[in-house]
Amino acid sequence: MFFPFHPLCRALIAMLGVSTGAVSAADFSTKLKPFLTQHCIECHDADTHKASLRLDNLSFDLANEDAAKIWTRVFDKVSAGEMPPAKKPRPAKAELDTTTKLLHDELHAASLAHQQKRGRVVVRRLNGTEYENTIRELVGTKVRVKELLPEDESVAGFDNVSSALDLSATHLLRYQEAAEKAIASAIPLRTPPKFEDTRTGRVISQKGPNFQSTLTRTAKLEGDSLFFYSRLPRYGTCCTANAPMDGRYRIQFKARAVGGGGNAVPIGYMTFMQDGPVEPVLLETHEIQPGELKVYDFEFELARRQPFIINLLTLANPTGNKKKIEEYEGLGVQVDWMKIEGPVGEFPPASYAKIFEGIPLRPRTVIEAIAAGRKPPTIAEDRNEYAWLADPLTPFSEHPKEDAKRLIRSFVQRAFRRPVSEERQKHFVKLVHAKLDGGAPFFDAMMFGYKTILSSADFLFLINPTVADAKGDLPTAKLDGFALAERLAYFLWSSPPDAELRALASNGSLTKPEVLRAQTERLLNSPNARRFTENFTGQWLDLRKMEATIPDPHLFGDFDYLLQWAMPRETELFFEEVLQHDLPLTDFVHSEWTMLNERLAMLYGIPGVEGNAFRKVKLPPEAHRGGVMTHASVLKVTADGTRTSPVLRGKWVLERIVGQPPQPPPPDVPAIEPDIRGATTIRQQLDKHRNINACASCHVHIDPPGFALETYDPIGNWRDFYRVTTRPNPRALPIDIHAPYGRAVYRGPE
């Protein structure tokens, strides 16, 4: 449906160069009033004003944005056949077509006029994700700064819309804190010592304080090998020693899959901070193969005091096994040993050279002694950690002003993503020189300069420099190459333009349609386009809420860590498949295929899919699947972990798929709560709800898609049963959608 004043529509209209002639408000009123008088005013006048809408006194001046929004709502309802309501006489087809065309054309013309008056788009600030990615590109580390920033608002579900990205004094303060953390992350505190730690399975098991009970229930030792058959508890994890400092580490372990008829075992590589979150963070998944013991070799970025963990992700749970753990034959993993070494790579790291190229590192006590004219102290080779922390390495320059000028000029060009004027460069150099003249150490002065650059408008905003047309008409001018490069890169990568985009912007060729199209294809085919997939599906389909709820383990014991990881991957890969192969958009609503691995195929009851890798699978007719609405990820985020609600799922479909969100419920109408006494069914409750006039107009649209999805449970199972917890050992009972909500009528043994 056409929304004339949505900012994305304004931008699209401007790009397409659409132009239609608008009529005056008086002419508009004259042409539209007969239709309104005959079919609308009776229900939308001063006395009735149903749905809080009055048309008898609504302005016909579409230059008024508030009035135009209401007329857009009228257009949507009339063109969709929802108004006049079914009980009222329908307009003749010719009359209806004439009216909807008039509304469409005038709203379209008003939108273009408003766009030309306001300008291309509102200047946009980088959102938190884009800010973090940009900082990482600049300093070359995986520093996390998004968590320091205020949470971004969203418009129509997206957090990269200009009107939602305001700027406050709090933002500026937090940006400075984030910039300081980012610059500090690129400074190695000391020359990394050679760190290496190898642990056998027996040693690993002795590191967890609660592991003795684990050994009797879900794990066992045979010689020096550790065997485990279910997800291990946090303090009994199969992990390496803690990383002594931030950096990239090489991880090796010798393992094989055991039991389970010779099948591979999906495991997760995780990590957590010793003083951070309780739950480990899943980095990626892998399969451990059966047969001979094999050495697995990986490299991962780890923070100080962070271990590397391997853990099972499957449903295997030997605790209910009546045999002793020594006799258990289920699927598991044997680990002989684990090794960590590092940090690996050059020193100083490449991240340091990005912001302090050519500047040597010296211990702070040495720098202070040199500054005071004293003899530098001798640094012992065997310094312990406490002494090292008291004497970290710091950038040191013998020619601070010259080095500051060189580094600031280089950094500001990269930070601002376009050529920077000589005057602007001198401004930042002067700020740093002033700090040096005031006696500040070189590093402190540079930190001030970098923080100032990373908190400036040129860095925080996507600026709109334009190239005037032949008549010099700036309101309809085109963006220049650098502005295009910025928008393209942040749209598809959520990060700044790379060297190729900047080069094309510099020589002016990026503004050519064929070059712009080729670059769009290049960016979409890059691994960085994964960010676009995650951001778009995460916001459009609410996949960012995947971990907002945890399914009730008593009701959904078949939910596990591997399934939670696989759910959003299906939807993201589905989206990429449609995008990469230019498939019909209708596949998002209904498709004969999806992207599956073995764990999801098990949930869906689809045979013949083996292994943890995802692949495109043709759906059998009896699978009850097709399109994103039947993906387990979507079905999970539209439930609360225990129950499903036709109202919530129906509302989600209208908002995310149909694009026509229902009006908010009246404030005096109570929400529907499940009847735990079993007196009424959910359908009966909703039928009663629909009898309220204020609710009926919305529920007639909300309920049908909501009930269509009621045969899927909160983790995406197709169900003929509601699961209940009214028994000591929960089980699946025959479902009856007309039965009391969340319960079932037990019909005896199945």
Side-chain angles (χ1 to χ4, degrees):
M1 190 57 64
F2 177 70
F3 296 95
F5 283 91
H6 191 285
L8 295 178
C9 290
R10 289 199 296 268
L12 180 61
I13 292 168
M15 285 191 292
L16 295 175
V18 178
S19 178
T20 59
V23 300
S24 66
D27 290 339
F28 184 42
S29 170
T30 301
K31 294 180 179 180
L32 193 59
K33 239 177 184 178
F35 183 89
L36 296 176
T37 301
Q38 184 175 355
H39 301 288
C40 307
I41 297 298
E42 180 182 354
C43 296
H44 298 287
D45 59 6
D47 297 327
T48 311
H49 55 271
K50 288 186 177 180
S52 301
L53 174 63
R54 285 187 61 181
L55 296 178
D56 59 320
N57 65 346
L58 180 60
S59 170
F60 289 94
D61 183 7
L62 297 184
N64 181 323
E65 188 171 353
D66 291 334
K69 287 179 179 178
I70 298 176
W71 284 117
T72 301
R73 180 179 163 195
V74 171
F75 168 76
D76 287 342
K77 295 290 186 181
V78 173
S79 61
E82 298 175 13
M83 290 293 160
K87 296 179 181 180
K88 297 292 183 179
R90 297 294 300 162
K93 184 178 185 305
E95 182 185 13
L96 185 64
D97 290 346
T98 300
T99 302
T100 54
K101 185 177 186 306
L102 171 66
L103 276 169
H104 177 276
D105 291 349
E106 297 312 315
L107 287 168
H108 198 166
S111 177
L112 180 59
H114 185 81
Q115 163 65 33
Q116 291 175 330
K117 180 180 178 181
R118 174 180 286 182
R120 174 171 290 275
V121 288
V122 178
V123 175
R124 183 166 81 77
R125 169 176 65 79
L126 299 180
N127 64 25
T129 300
E130 294 164 342
Y131 181 89
E132 182 173 82
N133 289 339
T134 306
I135 287 285
R136 289 178 173 185
E137 291 279 345
L138 285 171
V139 303
T141 67
K142 298 295 184 181
V143 62
R144 297 178 61 180
V145 295
K146 183 179 178 181
E147 58 197 18
L148 298 177
L149 307 178
E151 187 174 352
D152 293 318
E153 299 293 334
S154 63
V155 170
F158 290 88
D159 63 5
N160 59 350
V161 181
S162 303
S163 57
L165 296 171
D166 58 354
L167 187 67
S168 66
T170 302
H171 278 91
L172 292 175
L173 180 62
R174 296 292 181 84
Y175 282 133
Q176 292 180 53
E177 294 175 2
E180 184 169 351
K181 179 180 179 180
I183 298 300
S185 73
I187 314 298
L189 294 180
R190 65 167 175 171
T191 304
K194 181 175 176 57
F195 174 75
E196 184 177 307
D197 182 271
T198 303
R199 296 177 175 181
T200 65
R202 182 172 294 277
V203 173
I204 292 170
S205 70
Q206 295 170 352
K207 295 297 180 180
N210 300 325
F211 212 87
Q212 290 307 310
S213 60
T214 301
L215 285 175
T216 63
R217 294 181 289 120
T218 62
K220 65 182 179 180
L221 285 170
E222 288 186 6
D224 282 336
S225 293
L226 172 65
F227 294 74
F228 57 99
Y229 299 94
S230 73
R231 186 180 173 199
L232 296 170
R234 179 179 186 241
Y235 292 106
T237 49
C238 184
C239 64
T240 65
N242 298 335
M245 61 186 299
D246 294 357
R248 190 168 186 83
Y249 289 83
R250 185 182 184 189
I251 311 294
Q252 293 178 300
F253 58 90
K254 191 173 186 179
R256 66 169 179 163
V258 295
N263 294 317
V265 180
I267 65 170
Y269 301 144
M270 310 178 185
T271 188
F272 66 89
M273 297 293 293
Q274 288 288 355
D275 51 356
V278 173
E279 285 297 319
V281 176
L282 180 64
L283 298 175
E284 63 178 62
T285 65
H286 193 73
E287 285 185 339
I288 299 296
Q289 299 298 323
E292 297 294 324
L293 285 161
K294 176 184 174 183
V295 175
Y296 293 84
D297 195 331
F298 301 93
E299 286 188 5
F300 281 103
E301 296 282 345
L302 296 177
R304 180 174 173 270
R305 302 192 74 240
Q306 204 171 31
F308 172 84
I309 307 164
I310 61 174
N311 217 336
L312 279 176
L313 302 175
T314 59
L315 283 169
N317 184 9
T319 55
N321 177 43
K322 295 181 180 180
K323 296 181 180 180
K324 295 181 179 179
I325 191 65
E326 288 76 14
E327 301 174 3
Y328 184 70
E329 298 177 351
L331 201 62
V333 174
Q334 175 187 353
V335 177
D336 259 19
W337 51 262
M338 293 186 70
K339 178 181 179 180
I340 179 173
E341 59 180 327
V344 298
E346 60 183 345
F347 184 85
S351 59
Y352 179 77
K354 274 180 171 284
I355 53 178
F356 286 106
E357 184 177 8
I359 306 299
L361 285 162
R362 297 285 186 270
R364 184 175 290 274
T365 54
V366 173
I367 296 174
E368 291 173 350
I370 293 174
R374 302 191 308 267
K375 181 181 178 180
T378 302
I379 306 299
E381 292 296 327
D382 59 345
R383 278 187 168 276
N384 60 34
E385 185 179 17
Y386 179 81
W388 158 63
L389 288 173
D391 190 18
L393 295 175
T394 306
F396 173 72
S397 171
E398 294 182 353
H399 308 285
K401 284 196 171 183
E402 291 83 346
D403 286 332
K405 179 180 179 180
R406 171 177 60 85
L407 294 174
I408 289 295
R409 282 178 174 269
S410 172
F411 186 81
V412 75
Q413 299 269 9
R414 293 189 295 119
F416 289 176
R417 306 177 289 275
R418 62 177 55 249
V420 182
S421 69
E422 182 69 18
E423 182 181 359
R424 193 79 171 126
Q425 293 181 50
K426 287 181 178 179
H427 167 73
F428 292 108
V429 172
K430 286 180 180 178
L431 292 177
V432 178
H433 283 183
K435 286 289 184 182
L436 292 171
D437 291 338
F442 174 75
F443 174 67
D444 293 350
M446 290 300 300
M447 176 66 83
F448 175 78
Y450 286 145
K451 286 167 59 177
T452 303
I453 291 171
L454 297 178
S455 305
S456 66
D458 296 272
F459 175 76
L460 295 176
F461 288 86
L462 302 184
I463 310 300
N464 296 325
T466 54
V467 180
D469 60 17
K471 300 178 181 179
D473 188 4
L474 287 177
T476 58
K478 296 180 179 179
L479 294 172
D480 70 10
F482 291 102
L484 277 176
E486 268 193 334
R487 276 157 179 72
L488 189 61
Y490 280 109
F491 178 48
L492 299 179
W493 285 358
S494 296
S495 62
D498 63 359
E500 184 171 336
L501 272 177
R502 292 196 304 270
L504 293 172
S506 181
N507 63 30
S509 58
L510 189 60
T511 56
K512 298 177 181 178
E514 64 276 12
V515 176
L516 185 59
R517 183 180 182 86
Q519 286 301 304
T520 302
E521 295 287 348
R522 180 178 72 86
L523 267 61
L524 284 173
N525 290 321
S526 164
N528 287 343
R530 172 83 182 137
R531 299 170 187 167
F532 172 67
T533 299
E534 291 178 349
N535 284 331
F536 193 85
T537 58
Q539 297 181 84
W540 170 38
L541 300 174
D542 281 333
L543 297 191
R544 289 182 175 180
K545 299 178 181 178
M546 274 300 299
E547 298 182 10
T549 59
I550 300 176
D552 185 338
H554 296 293
L555 282 172
F556 303 102
D558 49 343
F559 181 82
D560 58 30
Y561 217 127
L562 183 60
L563 186 58
Q564 178 162 307
W565 169 83
M567 283 177 172
R569 290 294 295 147
E570 175 194 14
T571 308
E572 291 166 357
L573 291 171
F574 186 97
F575 177 84
E576 289 179 351
E577 184 75 7
V578 173
L579 184 65
Q580 294 290 342
H581 296 90
D582 198 21
L583 300 179
L585 288 178
T586 51
D587 278 10
F588 287 120
V589 178
H590 178 72
S591 65
E592 297 180 349
W593 60 275
T594 191
M595 308 297 291
L596 294 180
N597 68 350
E598 183 176 0
R599 182 65 188 89
L600 265 178
M602 183 192 307
L603 180 77
Y604 294 168
I606 298 174
V609 181
E610 297 181 356
N612 201 41
F614 278 82
R615 77 295 310 259
K616 188 174 182 178
V617 176
K618 183 175 175 61
L619 294 168
E622 65 275 11
H624 306 294
R625 305 286 166 177
V628 297
M629 286 181 285
T630 62
H631 286 187
S633 59
V634 167
L635 296 166
K636 181 179 183 297
V637 300
T638 54
D640 67 1
T642 302
R643 299 182 297 264
T644 57
S645 166
V647 176
L648 295 181
R649 280 182 170 171
K651 178 176 178 288
W652 186 93
V653 171
L654 294 182
E655 289 178 343
R656 308 295 177 170
I657 304 299
V658 180
Q660 293 185 355
Q663 295 296 314
D668 56 342
V669 177
I672 298 176
E673 296 292 340
D675 185 352
I676 60 175
R677 301 168 302 163
T680 57
T681 69
I682 183 62
R683 191 176 291 275
Q684 289 169 343
Q685 286 179 280
L686 284 174
D687 283 341
K688 183 178 179 180
H689 208 64
R690 281 193 295 268
N691 289 331
I692 303 173
N693 289 334
C695 302
S697 61
C698 287
H699 277 275
V700 71
H701 303 292
I702 293 173
D703 294 351
F707 274 112
L709 296 176
E710 185 67 2
T711 45
Y712 298 93
D713 71 14
I715 65 169
N717 280 299
W718 172 266
R719 61 182 177 188
D720 295 314
F721 309 92
Y722 277 124
R723 301 188 186 192
V724 297
T725 56
T726 55
R727 299 170 182 269
N729 297 311
R731 57 162 295 177
L733 297 179
I735 191 176
D736 181 354
I737 292 181
H738 297 273
Y741 184 72
R743 303 182 63 187
V745 178
Y746 184 58
R747 305 190 185 102
E750 293 301 306

